[in-house]
């Protein structure tokens, strides 16, 4: 039986209860009425809604953030023999997507301040085989993609931004993803806007890139209708369109994103202020960065001890992305750049993620703070 936490990572079921009537109204015709075109209209409505929310011209809903990365990379021309610069303090989806395109991940170290790709280290990693950069908005902290954009444009490189954890974040006053060729978001259950299964979205502004993304997500089918009724395929693609049940649920939740982002930021600020005089080190953000928070991730001197103490006390603290990707057995033969990641290696032994569920009450947040302060001897 799963552990029951006094302060869990998620209480999304409470949000679902609050939205119960809207959810049932949206799902009932899908479950008990005729659905034409495999729910195409519902998916397309969500795509328009999400494109507007992120201020991008095009949005394509897919089965997951992981497959979204693969499609975005392929659509940007990444293929066998290419190199893509990314980070090691992320989910295996990041490097896995690169490898599954036939390309080679090249690892770049990150900033101590917000745990995202260090733009100052990227140029030295570029070779004649480099075709793209894949920064990650880790924990909902926007990477400095505007700076990376200047570098990439000067070298003819594409940028695919892994914004899976950052739906609702801003960068330079614009929704996150604005400076990438393509940005990929996730609707997995514990993300800022989560489904009850899996889901993702790919956004971009280039109509040709958008057309290729749509083709790759729908078997590689030629979207031009044929008068003779036959089918035509122009790519070897995937059958990974977002299903209408998840699309309907996300469409109901998306209008609440701004309020939920504000609540997560308020919880994060409470943690920051409460831990100022302790041994914990809290993240620091560029003034133009407007993070959201999948969790509030801090640095502590005794990661394992603090993690275990919090969980014994009923607080669902989590160790995300530790150890770094390149230490996983699947990469036992090594990943390029892994020998020069001192900040990544240090952070992997220090980072600890605290709950920021929007449903948490003030007394629960205070309980987390008091428990952690007690352990840290503050």
């Amino acid at each position: 039986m799963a552990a029951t936490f006094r302060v869990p990572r998620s209480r999304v079921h409470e949000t679902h209860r609050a939205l119960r009537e809207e959810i049932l109204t949206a799902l009932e015709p899908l479950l008990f009425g005729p659905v034409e075109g495999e729910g195409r209209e519902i998916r397309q409505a969500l795509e328009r809604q999400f494109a507007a929310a992120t201020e991008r011209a095009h949005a394509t809903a897919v089965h997951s953030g992981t497959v979204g990365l693969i499609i975005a990379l392929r659509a940007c021309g990444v293929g066998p023999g290419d190199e893509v610069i990314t980070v090691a303090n992320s989910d295996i989806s990041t490097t896995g997507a690169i490898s599954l395109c036939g390309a080679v991940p090249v690892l770049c170290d990150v900033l101590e301040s917000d745990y995202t790709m260090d733009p100052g280290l990227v140029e030295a990693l570029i070779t004649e085989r480099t075709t793209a950069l894949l920064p990650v908005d880790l924990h909902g902290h926007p990477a400095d993609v505007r700076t990376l954009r200047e570098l990439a444009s000067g070298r003819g490189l594409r940028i695919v931004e892994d914004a899976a954890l950052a739906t609702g974040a801003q960068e330079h006053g614009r929704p996150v993803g604005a400076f990438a060729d393509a940005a990929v978001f996730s609707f997995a259950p514990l993300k800022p806007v989560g489904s009850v299964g899996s889901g993702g979205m790919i956004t971009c502004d280039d109509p040709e890139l958008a057309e290729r993304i749509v083709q790759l997500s729908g078997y590689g089918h030629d979207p031009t209708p044929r008068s003779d009724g036959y089918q035509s395929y122009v790519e070897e693609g995937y059958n990974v369109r977002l299903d209408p049940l998840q699309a309907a649920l996300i469409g109901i939740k998306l209008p609440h994103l701004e309020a939920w982002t504000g609540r997560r930021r308020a919880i994060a600020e409470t943690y920051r202020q409460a831990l100022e005089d302790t041994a914990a080190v809290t993240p620091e953000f560029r003034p133009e960065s407007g993070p959201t928070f999948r969790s509030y991730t801090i640095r502590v001197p005794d990661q394992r001890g603090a993690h275990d103490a919090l969980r014994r006390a009923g607080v669902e603290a989590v160790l995300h992305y530790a150890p770094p990707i390149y230490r996983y057995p699947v990469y036992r033969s090594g990943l390029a750049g892994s020998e020069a990641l001192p900040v990544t290696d240090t952070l992997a032994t220090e980072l600890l993620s605290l709950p920021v569920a929007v449903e948490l009450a003030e007394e629960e947040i205070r309980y987390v703070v008091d428990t952690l302060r007690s352990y840290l001897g503050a």
Side-chain angles (χ1 to χ4, degrees):
M1 181 181 294
T4 300
F5 289 94
R6 176 173 174 176
V7 186
R9 295 172 66 193
S10 172
R11 282 208 183 102
V12 70
H13 61 283
E14 295 180 6
T15 292
H16 289 166
R17 288 172 183 165
L19 299 173
R20 180 183 180 90
E21 293 308 315
E22 289 181 70
I23 293 171
L24 291 178
T25 299
L27 297 189
E28 187 169 359
L30 289 172
L31 294 170
F32 306 113
V35 179
E36 306 219 349
E38 298 179 334
R40 184 183 300 112
E41 291 184 3
I42 295 167
R43 185 177 67 252
Q44 290 176 341
L46 175 63
E47 290 170 342
R48 291 190 296 270
Q49 187 182 9
F50 199 88
T54 54
E55 299 178 6
R56 304 304 296 269
H58 307 279
T60 303
V62 293
H63 184 263
S64 70
T66 301
V67 78
L69 289 173
I70 297 170
I71 290 172
L73 288 166
R74 281 192 58 186
C76 285
V78 174
D82 292 336
E83 293 179 350
V84 178
I85 298 171
T86 190
V87 294
N89 61 336
S90 181
D91 191 277
I92 195 170
S93 296
T94 306
T95 48
I98 296 168
S99 297
L100 289 169
C101 290
V104 177
V106 176
L107 302 180
C108 180
D109 211 356
V110 298
L111 299 165
E112 290 188 9
S113 54
D114 66 3
Y115 326 138
T116 65
M117 182 182 285
D118 187 338
L121 301 178
V122 173
E123 189 162 15
L125 298 172
I126 297 174
T127 72
E128 68 279 357
R129 294 171 59 191
T130 307
T131 56
L133 311 180
L134 204 171
V136 180
D137 301 322
L138 198 66
H139 307 297
H141 309 166
D144 190 357
V145 182
R146 183 172 179 176
T147 297
L148 294 173
R149 175 80 276 163
E150 295 172 3
L151 174 62
S153 296
R155 302 297 291 268
L157 306 178
R158 295 280 209 165
I159 298 179
V160 173
E161 184 172 355
D162 184 343
L165 305 177
T167 310
Q170 290 87 34
E171 177 70 6
H172 286 272
R174 300 178 64 183
V176 70
F179 301 102
D181 292 284
V184 179
F185 300 83
S186 174
F187 302 138
L190 294 178
K191 300 301 191 291
V193 178
S195 63
V196 293
S198 192
M201 190 74 75
I202 311 168
T203 63
C204 68
D205 287 328
D206 183 342
E208 292 184 5
L209 181 60
E211 181 178 355
R212 186 157 160 76
I213 289 169
V214 171
Q215 288 175 350
L216 286 169
S217 65
Y219 286 115
H221 191 267
D222 185 346
T224 305
R226 290 181 53 148
S227 59
D228 57 13
Y230 290 107
Q231 298 183 25
S232 176
Y233 295 89
V234 295
E235 290 272 4
E236 288 185 336
Y238 314 90
N239 179 27
V240 291
R241 298 183 183 95
L242 183 64
D243 76 74
L245 293 173
Q246 306 299 340
L249 178 60
I250 295 300
I252 290 167
K253 298 170 82 169
L254 194 59
H256 300 276
L257 175 60
E258 183 175 356
W260 292 344
T261 300
R263 175 58 179 157
R264 291 188 183 99
R265 288 174 177 166
I267 294 172
E269 179 61 14
T270 297
Y271 284 143
R272 187 195 68 78
Q273 293 182 16
L275 297 173
E276 276 185 321
D277 61 343
T278 72
V281 178
T282 57
E284 297 181 5
F285 305 105
R286 293 171 288 109
E288 64 272 15
S289 173
T292 186
F293 297 92
R294 195 274 284 271
S295 57
Y296 189 68
T297 304
I298 62 174
R299 300 170 64 182
V300 291
D302 178 11
Q303 181 193 65
R304 172 54 59 186
H307 169 270
D308 291 353
L310 284 168
R311 290 178 77 94
R312 283 195 302 270
V315 176
E316 194 175 5
V318 179
L319 304 179
H320 283 301
Y321 319 124
I325 288 172
Y326 72 89
R327 295 189 184 275
Y328 294 165
V330 66
Y331 296 126
R332 62 176 58 87
S333 60
L335 286 177
S338 60
E339 71 285 350
L341 303 173
V343 177
T344 299
D345 288 334
T346 297
L347 292 176
T349 66
E350 296 179 349
L351 291 182
L352 179 68
S353 294
L354 306 177
V356 293
V358 296
E359 301 86 5
L360 294 180
E362 293 301 323
E363 58 267 24
E364 292 173 313
I365 300 165
R366 177 50 56 185
Y367 178 74
V368 176
V369 167
D370 290 345
T371 302
L372 184 55
R373 285 181 61 88
S374 176
Y375 178 79
L376 295 172

